[in-house]
């Protein structure tokens, strides 16, 4: 099985290798374990691949003088097949009769005629591999991607566009591909099914150029003229022209027109500036991200989510939240808000599990999909499953206005977190919570559970949030001191109660993701039901202690830990009267924030994970084995 990360392709009269390399650099934030570029040069296919960073690939192509006006490039995050050079993209076809001697090990002069890169997973690759092996094709990798390259080669009869169309009909799974052929210079063909792909069109003095990418950000500074390809599209890129065909449910292709949009992908957002890592930068960008998200909110109204939302909000009688990872924890916080403020029954489902179990559909449910990228494969599939069960009312909380999720859902609110480079989500999470709180207020208003005074109070609290988060960020020096202790540990427990339990889960996830310390989170009341067995002086216990109705219960839980010799690290609201002492460390939060308290309490947990990872020397922005955009199942 193959990769899930970054694609860039181009057709031009100038050397496009620097454009391909720069595009890969812009996609590095997604995470990857290998990268490569292939071009049409002097009538042959040439490529360079690396299991190091894109900077090393750049040096390699310069050293080997790899240059051309036609080419494709890729960053790979391995889902099957080790992150090794022979599994790195691009892959070349190797047809019957091609001897080992004919294939240059360096990859510079190749005997094959098809070069291909691929995001996604091909589920029927085993049967295709067996079929192609029987036809004499030779495989040099463990990836499913190589199967596609060989299949295109086998079906090729002088027209690459036709060969790709006939190839994708035979593929099962999710994919975005870019491919070119040795026998057709200045032509690249792309196709998508379940994985994002965009077409870029040059203008002005670059009017003849055409581009492919998995993300418009990869083309920032190259072109702002973007076409978002749809499921089943195949696109043919040539000099100064392109064609798009679409495959219908019967497998037939028809020529189609897609809207050409002007998309400003701000490359400046990816600049690190004075920060050590992108994650640190993004933690400190949260006040601005929250302010930007609230900027377009004059007041609470269902129409914030789209035309017709008021009618639908009146009709629905329950909420189903679908999400993965950090977004799932945002949804778990929202469950508390929706049930306590809007008085509407709410369930939260892990998207990757939801569509594989029997559930009871309710056509009057509002299905809410939460995703930073809007391209998360599991969440998209879960949404389509819910809709297929007869639940048509769909809404997304998403950070990318042009994403597949926004196009799929009837309603949407766009968080304005900006580009998030660090794999471990921070500002996207806090802005998702803001969007979910706005949804809660809109549903409460529609259902008659929000008075004018309550609405005004909540809006005042929301407007003050950026300043409140700024106050929490000022605690960084105290958190750094704690991180020196945590860096020496291999395990940690996180405790929270009520709507802060999902924040404890998020804190544990952050520590796991970037410091590689094993961390678990529990509702504090569950300690005596098992986890207390783990508590020793070597097990730090992080506790979220807001001044809410559960405070006295939480204090009892803290005593249970102290009685067993456990060491407590407590983030406490100022008025909780929890005092530092032996085995009890306290950082005081600047203010209690009521229902919005989770947004404040997650910030020091982000800082704790970040500085612990720094102390341990891990790769904070690109933690091992993880990728930013999970576009495969």
């Amino acid at each position: 099985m193959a990769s899930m990360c970054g694609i860039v392709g181009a057709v031009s009269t100038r050397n496009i290798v620097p454009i391909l390399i720069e595009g890969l650099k812009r996609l590095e934030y997604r995470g990857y374990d290998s990268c490569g570029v292939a071009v049409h040069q002097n009538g042959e296919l040439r490529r360079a691949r690396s299991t190091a960073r894109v900077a090393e690939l750049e040096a390699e192509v310069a050293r080997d003088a790899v240059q051309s006006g036609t080419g494709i490039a890729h960053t790979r995050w391995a889902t099957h097949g080790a992150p090794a050079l022979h599994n790195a993209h691009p892959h070349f076809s190797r047809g019957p009769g091609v001897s080992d001697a004919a294939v240059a090990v360096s990859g510079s002069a190749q005997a094959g005629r098809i070069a291909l890169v691929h995001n996604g997973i091909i589920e029927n690759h085993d049967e295709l591999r067996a079929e192609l092996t029987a036809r004499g094709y030779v495989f040099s990798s463990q990836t499913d991607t190589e199967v596609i390259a060989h299949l295109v080669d086998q079906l090729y009869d002088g027209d690459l566009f036709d060969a790709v169309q006939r190839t994708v009909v035979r593929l099962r799974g999710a994919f975005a591909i870019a491919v070119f052929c040795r026998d057709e210079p200045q032509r690249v063909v792309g196709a998508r099914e379940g994985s994002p792909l965009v077409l870029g069109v040059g203008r002005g003095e670059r009017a003849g150029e055409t581009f492919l990418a998995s993300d418009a950000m990869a083309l920032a500074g190259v072109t702002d003229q973007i076409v978002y390809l749809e499921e089943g599209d195949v696109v043919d890129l040539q000099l100064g022209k392109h064609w798009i065909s679409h495959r219908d449910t019967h497998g037939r292709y028809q020529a189609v027109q897609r809207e050409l949009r002007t998309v400003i992908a701000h490359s400046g957002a990816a600049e690190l500036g004075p920060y050590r890592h992108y994650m640190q930068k993004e933690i400190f960008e949260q006040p601005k991200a929250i302010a930007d998200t609230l900027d377009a909110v004059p007041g609470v109204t269902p129409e914030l989510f789209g035309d017709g939302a008021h009618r639908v909000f009146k009709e629905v009688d329950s909420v189903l939240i679908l999400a993965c990872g950090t977004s799932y924890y945002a949804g778990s916080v929202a469950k508390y808000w929706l049930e306590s403020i809007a008085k509407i029954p709410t369930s939260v489902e892990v998207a990757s599990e939801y569509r594989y179990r029997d559930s009871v559909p309710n056509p009057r449910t509002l299905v809410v999909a939460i995703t930073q990228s809007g391209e998360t494969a599991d969440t998209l599939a879960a949404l389509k499953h819910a809709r297929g069960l007869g639940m048509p009312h769909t809404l997304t909380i998403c950070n990318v206005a042009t994403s597949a999720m926004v196009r799929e859902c009837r309603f949407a609110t766009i968080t304005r977190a900006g580009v998030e480079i660090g794999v471990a989500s921070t500002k996207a999470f806090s802005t998702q919570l803001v969007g979910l709180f706005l949804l809660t207020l809109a549903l409460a208003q529609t259902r008659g559970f929000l008075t004018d005074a309550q609405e005004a109070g909540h809006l005042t609290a929301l407007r003050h949030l950026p300043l409140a988060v700024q106050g929490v960020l000022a605690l960084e020096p105290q958190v750094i001191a704690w991180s020196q202790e945590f860096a020496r540990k291999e395990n940690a427990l996180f405790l929270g109660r009520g709507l802060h339990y999902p924040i404890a889960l998020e804190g544990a996830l952050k520590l796991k993701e970037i410091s590689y310390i094993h961390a678990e989170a529990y509702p504090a009341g569950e300690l005596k039901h098992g986890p207390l067995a783990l508590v020793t002086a070597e097990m730090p216990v992080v506790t979220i202690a807001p001044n809410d109705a559960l405070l006295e219960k939480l204090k009892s839980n803290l005593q249970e830990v102290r009685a067993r010799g456990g060491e407590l690290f407590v983030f406490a609201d100022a008025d909780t009267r929890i005092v530092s002492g032996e085995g009890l460390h306290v950082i005081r939060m600047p203010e209690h924030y009521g229902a919005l308290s989770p947004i404040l309490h997650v910030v020091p947990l982000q800082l704790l994970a970040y500085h612990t990872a720094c102390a341990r020397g891990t790769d904070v922005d690109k933690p091992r084995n993880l990728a930013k955009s999970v576009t495969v199942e």
Side-chain angles (χ1 to χ4, degrees), residues 289-461:
I290 292 169
D292 289 347
T293 299
L294 292 168
D295 208 30
V297 181
V300 176
T301 167
E303 306 312 307
L304 286 172
F305 299 89
D307 294 341
H310 185 273
R311 178 186 58 80
V312 171
F313 286 10
K314 291 281 281 187
E315 288 179 10
V316 298
D317 60 11
S318 63
V319 174
L320 167 64
I321 295 174
L322 304 171
C324 300
T326 287
S327 296
Y328 173 78
Y329 297 146
S332 299
V333 172
K335 174 182 170 70
Y336 286 90
W337 288 337
L338 287 159
E339 296 198 339
S340 66
I341 298 173
K343 314 296 183 189
I344 188 166
T346 301
S347 58
V348 188
E349 293 269 2
V350 175
S352 58
E353 291 290 321
Y354 169 67
R355 67 189 174 114
Y356 294 114
R357 72 174 187 82
D358 292 332
S359 58
V360 182
N362 172 8
R364 296 181 65 187
T365 293
L366 179 65
V367 181
V368 179
I370 312 172
T371 162
Q372 188 280 135
S373 67
E375 306 289 350
T376 308
D378 286 319
T379 311
L380 279 165
L383 174 86
K384 292 173 183 176
H385 176 69
R387 207 164 48 203
L389 291 175
M391 294 186 283
H393 304 310
T394 57
L395 182 150
T396 184
I397 311 286
C398 184
N399 193 41
V400 182
T402 53
S403 65
M405 187 65 79
V406 174
R407 296 195 299 273
E408 287 284 342
C409 286
R410 172 70 177 83
F411 304 109
T413 188
I414 307 302
T415 56
R416 290 174 169 78
V419 176
E420 191 177 62
I421 304 296
V423 166
S425 180
T426 52
K427 62 178 181 174
F429 177 73
S430 54
T431 53
Q432 283 173 351
L433 288 175
V434 170
L436 288 161
F437 194 73
L438 289 169
L439 175 62
T440 299
L441 297 182
L443 282 165
Q445 182 194 75
T446 306
R447 293 166 59 81
F449 293 113
L450 189 69
T451 66
D452 290 346
Q454 288 170 329
E455 177 183 335
H458 287 309
L459 282 174
T460 298

Side-chain angles (χ1 to χ4, degrees), residues 46-283:
R46 295 194 68 192
R47 73 179 165 193
R49 299 183 290 180
S50 173
T51 53
R53 293 296 180 212
V54 174
E56 280 74 16
L57 178 68
E58 184 176 28
E60 185 178 339
V61 297
R63 184 185 67 242
D64 294 341
V66 178
Q67 52 188 307
S68 175
T70 302
I72 54 178
H74 193 266
T75 52
R76 175 182 190 251
W77 186 88
T79 56
H80 189 75
L85 203 62
H86 67 281
N87 287 326
H89 299 211
H91 286 284
F92 289 170
S93 62
R94 185 177 172 189
V98 178
S99 67
D100 289 342
V103 180
V105 174
S106 69
S108 57
Q110 295 290 330
R113 63 179 174 180
I114 299 297
L116 183 139
V117 294
H118 162 227
N119 290 348
I121 286 178
I122 304 303
E123 295 171 356
N124 61 332
H125 71 101
D126 280 336
E127 60 195 73
L128 290 173
R129 180 183 289 255
E131 174 189 323
L132 290 160
T133 299
R135 290 177 176 270
Y137 281 86
V138 178
F139 287 83
S140 58
S141 78
Q142 285 82 49
T143 70
D144 54 351
T145 299
E146 196 177 8
V147 168
I148 314 173
H150 290 343
L151 188 56
V152 173
D153 182 273
Q154 194 252 318
L155 295 173
Y156 182 75
D157 190 23
D159 185 342
L160 184 63
F161 191 50
D162 176 69
V164 171
Q165 289 181 124
R166 290 195 287 142
T167 295
V168 296
V169 169
R170 299 207 51 201
L171 304 179
R172 291 201 314 271
F175 56 84
I177 61 173
V179 55
F180 70 90
C181 178
R182 178 195 63 200
D183 301 337
E184 296 186 69
Q186 297 183 321
R187 190 181 200 185
V188 171
V189 175
R192 73 153 294 191
E193 186 75 59
S195 198
L197 196 65
V198 303
L199 161 71
V201 180
R203 63 174 177 174
E205 62 181 22
R206 301 300 183 189
E209 297 178 333
T210 49
F211 306 92
L212 271 181
S214 50
D215 188 325
M217 186 178 169
L219 304 179
V222 177
T223 182
D224 61 0
Q225 300 299 292
I226 301 294
V227 174
Y228 288 91
L229 298 174
E230 298 186 9
E231 300 284 282
D233 282 357
V234 180
V235 60
D236 187 351
L237 281 65
Q238 298 188 37
L239 275 177
K241 52 192 175 184
H242 66 268
W243 293 268
I244 301 173
S245 66
H246 179 75
R247 187 175 77 255
D248 63 22
T249 54
H250 302 291
R252 295 188 294 262
Y253 284 94
Q254 299 287 337
V256 292
Q257 296 290 323
R258 300 284 183 226
E259 180 185 359
L260 185 65
R261 309 185 191 189
T262 300
V263 176
I264 308 300
H266 294 289
S267 57
E271 293 169 4
L272 190 56
Y275 297 96
R276 287 180 64 188
H277 300 92
Y278 287 110
M279 183 178 178
Q280 185 187 29
K281 174 176 183 274
E282 288 152 12
I283 290 171

